[in-house]
Amino acid sequence: TIDKVTSLMPSIAGPAKAGETELAMTQRPTHEELVPFGADRTTPLRETPKTFNYTPTPLATIVDKQTVATIESSNNSQAIRKNKQGKFNKNSPRGLFQFKFSTAKELMPELESPDQLLDPYISEQLFDRYAAKHAPLLNKFFTESTMTNLYGDREVDITDIYLAHQQGLGGYKEILQFPNRKLRDMKNATRKRNLMSNLSPLTKERIKRKESPTINDWINDWKLFFQNKREGVLLEMTQKQEDIIKPIA
């Protein structure tokens, strides 16, 4: 059953690779050259480092986090995204969830080096902390009168957390205020660029069909894409766990 499967999966992170350096990272696959999805996620975690005081958040399930990691890095814990100049720098998004070091330091001040973001265990902790910090802020935002007029009694879900991570909390809150505005008509140039550089496959298909997708289309397409991806991740995780617990004939 699903409960049995997820009970065997305390975390998506396998054992970390020690000794990563900036030089070693440049030799790893980039965000554009990621290893195929299918890494072993059955290895139990090592002992929790006491310095991090880690408590998993219930806001994002194991399947939710695996889905985000699949979308962001193809489940490659060593993925690093190059900047516009095609180079790596200290703040290049990296790891399973593609956190920038500046964001990671806000969530986990005890971090000392971008190398640590390549540790899948730390990367998962960062996403848990991100969800725990930002879900209440988004929930509060949705209770504001202007937002209830637009969305009614809306509850934050995992795709809201993901899109806040993708666009930045301020950026996501900004675009939520204009659900009927067409992407091409976004007045903030930076916001428009961030939206257009993060189109889901469904929104890309709309544009190919010569449609003019709105912010609401962009959000709903991401939600549908995320749900479809999540179902695929859950199926794969279930099959792997069933193979593990299959009785010996």
Side-chain angles (χ1 to χ4, degrees):
T1 66
I2 299 303
D3 290 340
K4 188 171 185 180
V5 169
T6 54
S7 70
L8 295 172
M9 302 284 296
S11 168
I12 68 170
K17 293 186 172 78
E20 295 291 349
T21 64
E22 283 293 314
L23 177 60
M25 287 190 293
T26 63
Q27 298 170 345
R28 295 286 182 179
T30 67
H31 189 71
E32 294 80 17
E33 302 168 339
L34 300 176
V35 297
F37 173 68
D40 180 15
R41 293 179 295 282
T42 62
T43 306
L45 283 173
R46 60 169 184 253
E47 183 180 356
T48 305
K50 295 180 181 179
T51 53
F52 292 117
N53 298 317
Y54 174 48
T55 302
T57 174
L59 299 172
T61 67
I62 301 302
V63 181
D64 291 336
K65 289 186 286 186
Q66 191 65 63
T67 304
V68 174
T70 301
I71 294 172
E72 283 293 285
S73 67
S74 293
N75 204 49
N76 178 12
S77 65
Q78 307 303 304
I80 311 172
R81 190 183 307 170
K82 295 179 180 179
N83 61 20
K84 293 179 181 179
Q85 290 71 43
K87 299 180 180 180
F88 301 110
N89 58 44
K90 183 177 181 179
N91 212 32
S92 294
R94 62 194 73 200
L96 286 173
F97 299 99
Q98 294 291 283
F99 278 104
K100 293 182 178 180
F101 187 59
S102 57
T103 303
K105 281 285 286 183
E106 293 177 5
L107 297 168
M108 193 179 287
E110 56 269 43
L111 289 176
E112 298 178 350
S113 167
D115 293 32
Q116 293 172 285
L117 302 189
L118 299 181
D119 182 327
Y121 187 79
I122 291 176
S123 185
E124 185 179 1
Q125 292 183 50
L126 285 169
F127 190 81
D128 281 334
R129 292 191 183 193
Y130 186 92
K133 177 181 179 181
H134 290 84
L137 298 177
L138 283 170
N139 271 319
K140 182 179 179 181
F141 179 66
F142 279 123
T143 61
E144 295 177 5
S145 58
T146 54
M147 299 307 292
T148 55
N149 289 337
L150 289 172
Y151 297 99
D153 187 14
R154 190 182 189 289
E155 293 186 0
V156 172
D157 60 26
I158 183 59
T159 50
D160 290 312
I161 300 297
Y162 169 65
L163 293 175
H165 171 49
Q166 181 198 100
Q167 294 291 312
L169 179 64
Y172 188 49
K173 288 168 68 175
E174 179 183 334
I175 65 175
L176 282 166
Q177 297 176 65
F178 307 103
N180 298 317
R181 181 170 294 176
K182 295 180 179 179
L183 296 181
R184 67 186 183 190
D185 295 334
M186 285 297 292
K187 301 185 184 303
N188 184 314
T190 300
R191 194 64 51 225
K192 181 178 181 180
R193 182 172 62 250
N194 289 345
L195 287 168
M196 296 303 293
S197 62
N198 287 283
L199 300 174
S200 73
L202 302 177
T203 307
K204 289 179 180 179
E205 287 300 318
R206 290 179 184 272
I207 293 175
K208 285 183 180 179
R209 295 195 298 266
K210 306 299 183 182
E211 297 178 15
S212 298
T214 64
I215 295 295
N216 204 42
D217 292 329
W218 184 92
I219 293 172
N220 288 333
D221 286 350
W222 264 115
K223 286 183 176 290
L224 180 57
F225 177 75
F226 190 99
Q227 182 60 35
N228 291 339
K229 183 70 70 173
R230 187 183 189 280
E231 290 174 0
V233 167
L234 178 58
L235 177 61
E236 182 174 348
M237 291 171 68
T238 303
Q239 290 173 337
K240 286 193 173 185
Q241 291 300 329
E242 287 177 347
D243 289 340
I244 291 172
I245 63 179
K246 188 179 298 181
I248 299 176

PDB file of all heavy atoms in Angstrom, residues 24-42:
ATOM      1  N   ALA A  24      35.593  20.367  -8.148  1.00  0.00           N
ATOM      2  CA  ALA A  24      34.883  19.120  -8.428  1.00  0.00           C
ATOM      3  C   ALA A  24      33.482  19.406  -8.945  1.00  0.00           C
ATOM      4  O   ALA A  24      32.986  18.710  -9.828  1.00  0.00           O
ATOM      5  CB  ALA A  24      34.823  18.267  -7.173  1.00  0.00           C
ATOM      6  N   MET A  25      32.847  20.446  -8.405  1.00  0.00           N
ATOM      7  CA  MET A  25      31.487  20.762  -8.812  1.00  0.00           C
ATOM      8  C   MET A  25      31.421  21.171 -10.272  1.00  0.00           C
ATOM      9  O   MET A  25      30.461  20.882 -10.969  1.00  0.00           O
ATOM     10  CB  MET A  25      30.913  21.864  -7.925  1.00  0.00           C
ATOM     11  CG  MET A  25      30.576  21.381  -6.522  1.00  0.00           C
ATOM     12  SD  MET A  25      29.651  22.599  -5.589  1.00  0.00           S
ATOM     13  CE  MET A  25      30.885  23.869  -5.407  1.00  0.00           C
ATOM     14  N   THR A  26      32.456  21.870 -10.749  1.00  0.00           N
ATOM     15  CA  THR A  26      32.436  22.297 -12.143  1.00  0.00           C
ATOM     16  C   THR A  26      32.538  21.115 -13.081  1.00  0.00           C
ATOM     17  O   THR A  26      32.220  21.221 -14.262  1.00  0.00           O
ATOM     18  CB  THR A  26      33.597  23.270 -12.428  1.00  0.00           C
ATOM     19  OG1 THR A  26      34.845  22.596 -12.227  1.00  0.00           O
ATOM     20  CG2 THR A  26      33.526  24.487 -11.529  1.00  0.00           C
ATOM     21  N   GLN A  27      32.967  19.977 -12.566  1.00  0.00           N
ATOM     22  CA  GLN A  27      33.099  18.787 -13.394  1.00  0.00           C
ATOM     23  C   GLN A  27      31.853  17.920 -13.334  1.00  0.00           C
ATOM     24  O   GLN A  27      31.759  16.915 -14.020  1.00  0.00           O
ATOM     25  CB  GLN A  27      34.324  17.990 -12.933  1.00  0.00           C
ATOM     26  CG  GLN A  27      35.621  18.778 -13.086  1.00  0.00           C
ATOM     27  CD  GLN A  27      36.798  18.103 -12.406  1.00  0.00           C
ATOM     28  OE1 GLN A  27      36.620  17.197 -11.598  1.00  0.00           O
ATOM     29  NE2 GLN A  27      37.996  18.530 -12.740  1.00  0.00           N
ATOM     30  N   ARG A  28      30.895  18.312 -12.492  1.00  0.00           N
ATOM     31  CA  ARG A  28      29.651  17.576 -12.385  1.00  0.00           C
ATOM     32  C   ARG A  28      28.704  18.009 -13.508  1.00  0.00           C
ATOM     33  O   ARG A  28      28.891  19.061 -14.112  1.00  0.00           O
ATOM     34  CB  ARG A  28      28.985  17.868 -11.031  1.00  0.00           C
ATOM     35  CG  ARG A  28      29.791  17.366  -9.848  1.00  0.00           C
ATOM     36  CD  ARG A  28      29.694  15.867  -9.730  1.00  0.00           C
ATOM     37  NE  ARG A  28      30.417  15.388  -8.567  1.00  0.00           N
ATOM     38  CZ  ARG A  28      30.474  14.112  -8.213  1.00  0.00           C
ATOM     39  NH1 ARG A  28      29.878  13.204  -8.938  1.00  0.00           N
ATOM     40  NH2 ARG A  28      31.147  13.746  -7.140  1.00  0.00           N
ATOM     41  N   PRO A  29      27.656  17.228 -13.793  1.00  0.00           N
ATOM     42  CA  PRO A  29      26.673  17.654 -14.799  1.00  0.00           C
ATOM     43  C   PRO A  29      26.049  18.987 -14.405  1.00  0.00           C
ATOM     44  O   PRO A  29      25.765  19.230 -13.246  1.00  0.00           O
ATOM     45  CB  PRO A  29      25.627  16.527 -14.768  1.00  0.00           C
ATOM     46  CG  PRO A  29      26.362  15.341 -14.207  1.00  0.00           C
ATOM     47  CD  PRO A  29      27.353  15.920 -13.243  1.00  0.00           C
ATOM     48  N   THR A  30      25.846  19.859 -15.375  1.00  0.00           N
ATOM     49  CA  THR A  30      25.203  21.140 -15.109  1.00  0.00           C
ATOM     50  C   THR A  30      23.699  20.963 -15.132  1.00  0.00           C
ATOM     51  O   THR A  30      23.189  19.878 -15.386  1.00  0.00           O
ATOM     52  CB  THR A  30      25.598  22.164 -16.187  1.00  0.00           C
ATOM     53  OG1 THR A  30      25.032  21.743 -17.428  1.00  0.00           O
ATOM     54  CG2 THR A  30      27.101  22.273 -16.315  1.00  0.00           C
ATOM     55  N   HIS A  31      22.987  22.080 -14.882  1.00  0.00           N
ATOM     56  CA  HIS A  31      21.522  22.038 -14.893  1.00  0.00           C
ATOM     57  C   HIS A  31      21.013  21.598 -16.262  1.00  0.00           C
ATOM     58  O   HIS A  31      19.956  21.004 -16.379  1.00  0.00           O
ATOM     59  CB  HIS A  31      20.985  23.428 -14.554  1.00  0.00           C
ATOM     60  CG  HIS A  31      19.510  23.457 -14.327  1.00  0.00           C
ATOM     61  ND1 HIS A  31      18.926  22.898 -13.208  1.00  0.00           N
ATOM     62  CD2 HIS A  31      18.496  23.953 -15.065  1.00  0.00           C
ATOM     63  CE1 HIS A  31      17.631  23.069 -13.255  1.00  0.00           C
ATOM     64  NE2 HIS A  31      17.327  23.695 -14.376  1.00  0.00           N
ATOM     65  N   GLU A  32      21.782  21.891 -17.316  1.00  0.00           N
ATOM     66  CA  GLU A  32      21.346  21.527 -18.656  1.00  0.00           C
ATOM     67  C   GLU A  32      21.803  20.121 -19.030  1.00  0.00           C
ATOM     68  O   GLU A  32      21.440  19.606 -20.073  1.00  0.00           O
ATOM     69  CB  GLU A  32      21.914  22.529 -19.672  1.00  0.00           C
ATOM     70  CG  GLU A  32      21.374  23.942 -19.519  1.00  0.00           C
ATOM     71  CD  GLU A  32      22.043  24.716 -18.402  1.00  0.00           C
ATOM     72  OE1 GLU A  32      23.126  24.301 -17.957  1.00  0.00           O
ATOM     73  OE2 GLU A  32      21.468  25.724 -17.960  1.00  0.00           O
ATOM     74  N   GLU A  33      22.663  19.501 -18.211  1.00  0.00           N
ATOM     75  CA  GLU A  33      23.207  18.187 -18.533  1.00  0.00           C
ATOM     76  C   GLU A  33      23.036  17.279 -17.324  1.00  0.00           C
ATOM     77  O   GLU A  33      23.997  16.857 -16.694  1.00  0.00           O
ATOM     78  CB  GLU A  33      24.687  18.304 -18.889  1.00  0.00           C
ATOM     79  CG  GLU A  33      24.950  19.246 -20.055  1.00  0.00           C
ATOM     80  CD  GLU A  33      26.418  19.569 -20.196  1.00  0.00           C
ATOM     81  OE1 GLU A  33      27.152  19.409 -19.202  1.00  0.00           O
ATOM     82  OE2 GLU A  33      26.832  19.959 -21.281  1.00  0.00           O
ATOM     83  N   LEU A  34      21.801  16.956 -17.006  1.00  0.00           N
ATOM     84  CA  LEU A  34      21.516  16.232 -15.780  1.00  0.00           C
ATOM     85  C   LEU A  34      21.424  14.735 -16.028  1.00  0.00           C
ATOM     86  O   LEU A  34      21.081  14.280 -17.119  1.00  0.00           O
ATOM     87  CB  LEU A  34      20.194  16.735 -15.184  1.00  0.00           C
ATOM     88  CG  LEU A  34      20.187  18.218 -14.830  1.00  0.00           C
ATOM     89  CD1 LEU A  34      18.814  18.627 -14.334  1.00  0.00           C
ATOM     90  CD2 LEU A  34      21.226  18.515 -13.770  1.00  0.00           C
ATOM     91  N   VAL A  35      21.761  13.967 -15.003  1.00  0.00           N
ATOM     92  CA  VAL A  35      21.657  12.519 -15.121  1.00  0.00           C
ATOM     93  C   VAL A  35      20.189  12.125 -15.139  1.00  0.00           C
ATOM     94  O   VAL A  35      19.343  12.836 -14.629  1.00  0.00           O
ATOM     95  CB  VAL A  35      22.356  11.834 -13.925  1.00  0.00           C
ATOM     96  CG1 VAL A  35      23.826  12.144 -13.927  1.00  0.00           C
ATOM     97  CG2 VAL A  35      21.728  12.253 -12.606  1.00  0.00           C
ATOM     98  N   PRO A  36      19.861  10.998 -15.756  1.00  0.00           N
ATOM     99  CA  PRO A  36      18.456  10.576 -15.805  1.00  0.00           C
ATOM    100  C   PRO A  36      17.886  10.321 -14.418  1.00  0.00           C
ATOM    101  O   PRO A  36      18.601   9.935 -13.499  1.00  0.00           O
ATOM    102  CB  PRO A  36      18.521   9.273 -16.626  1.00  0.00           C
ATOM    103  CG  PRO A  36      19.808   9.344 -17.364  1.00  0.00           C
ATOM    104  CD  PRO A  36      20.738  10.108 -16.481  1.00  0.00           C
ATOM    105  N   PHE A  37      16.584  10.529 -14.292  1.00  0.00           N
ATOM    106  CA  PHE A  37      15.912  10.239 -13.034  1.00  0.00           C
ATOM    107  C   PHE A  37      15.946   8.736 -12.799  1.00  0.00           C
ATOM    108  O   PHE A  37      15.799   7.953 -13.697  1.00  0.00           O
ATOM    109  CB  PHE A  37      14.465  10.713 -13.102  1.00  0.00           C
ATOM    110  CG  PHE A  37      13.629  10.309 -11.928  1.00  0.00           C
ATOM    111  CD1 PHE A  37      13.872  10.838 -10.686  1.00  0.00           C
ATOM    112  CD2 PHE A  37      12.615   9.396 -12.079  1.00  0.00           C
ATOM    113  CE1 PHE A  37      13.101  10.478  -9.604  1.00  0.00           C
ATOM    114  CE2 PHE A  37      11.825   9.031 -11.005  1.00  0.00           C
ATOM    115  CZ  PHE A  37      12.075   9.568  -9.764  1.00  0.00           C
ATOM    116  N   GLY A  38      16.143   8.333 -11.566  1.00  0.00           N
ATOM    117  CA  GLY A  38      16.155   6.909 -11.257  1.00  0.00           C
ATOM    118  C   GLY A  38      17.188   6.555 -10.213  1.00  0.00           C
ATOM    119  O   GLY A  38      17.536   5.391 -10.041  1.00  0.00           O
ATOM    120  N   ALA A  39      17.712   7.553  -9.507  1.00  0.00           N
ATOM    121  CA  ALA A  39      18.693   7.272  -8.474  1.00  0.00           C
ATOM    122  C   ALA A  39      18.063   6.452  -7.355  1.00  0.00           C
ATOM    123  O   ALA A  39      16.861   6.500  -7.132  1.00  0.00           O
ATOM    124  CB  ALA A  39      19.246   8.580  -7.902  1.00  0.00           C
ATOM    125  N   ASP A  40      18.902   5.689  -6.667  1.00  0.00           N
ATOM    126  CA  ASP A  40      18.414   4.853  -5.574  1.00  0.00           C
ATOM    127  C   ASP A  40      17.965   5.726  -4.413  1.00  0.00           C
ATOM    128  O   ASP A  40      18.744   6.489  -3.871  1.00  0.00           O
ATOM    129  CB  ASP A  40      19.535   3.914  -5.116  1.00  0.00           C
ATOM    130  CG  ASP A  40      19.082   3.007  -3.980  1.00  0.00           C
ATOM    131  OD1 ASP A  40      17.862   2.915  -3.749  1.00  0.00           O
ATOM    132  OD2 ASP A  40      19.948   2.395  -3.344  1.00  0.00           O
ATOM    133  N   ARG A  41      16.672   5.609  -4.033  1.00  0.00           N
ATOM    134  CA  ARG A  41      16.157   6.407  -2.930  1.00  0.00           C
ATOM    135  C   ARG A  41      15.748   5.523  -1.760  1.00  0.00           C
ATOM    136  O   ARG A  41      14.906   5.875  -0.955  1.00  0.00           O
ATOM    137  CB  ARG A  41      14.967   7.249  -3.404  1.00  0.00           C
ATOM    138  CG  ARG A  41      15.382   8.305  -4.397  1.00  0.00           C
ATOM    139  CD  ARG A  41      14.172   9.091  -4.866  1.00  0.00           C
ATOM    140  NE  ARG A  41      13.243   8.265  -5.597  1.00  0.00           N
ATOM    141  CZ  ARG A  41      13.400   7.901  -6.861  1.00  0.00           C
ATOM    142  NH1 ARG A  41      14.474   8.264  -7.510  1.00  0.00           N
ATOM    143  NH2 ARG A  41      12.506   7.151  -7.468  1.00  0.00           N
ATOM    144  N   THR A  42      16.326   4.330  -1.707  1.00  0.00           N
ATOM    145  CA  THR A  42      15.943   3.402  -0.650  1.00  0.00           C
ATOM    146  C   THR A  42      16.970   3.338   0.470  1.00  0.00           C
ATOM    147  O   THR A  42      16.740   2.705   1.488  1.00  0.00           O
ATOM    148  CB  THR A  42      15.760   1.987  -1.221  1.00  0.00           C
ATOM    149  OG1 THR A  42      17.009   1.531  -1.755  1.00  0.00           O
ATOM    150  CG2 THR A  42      14.716   1.994  -2.321  1.00  0.00           C
TER     151      THR A  42
END
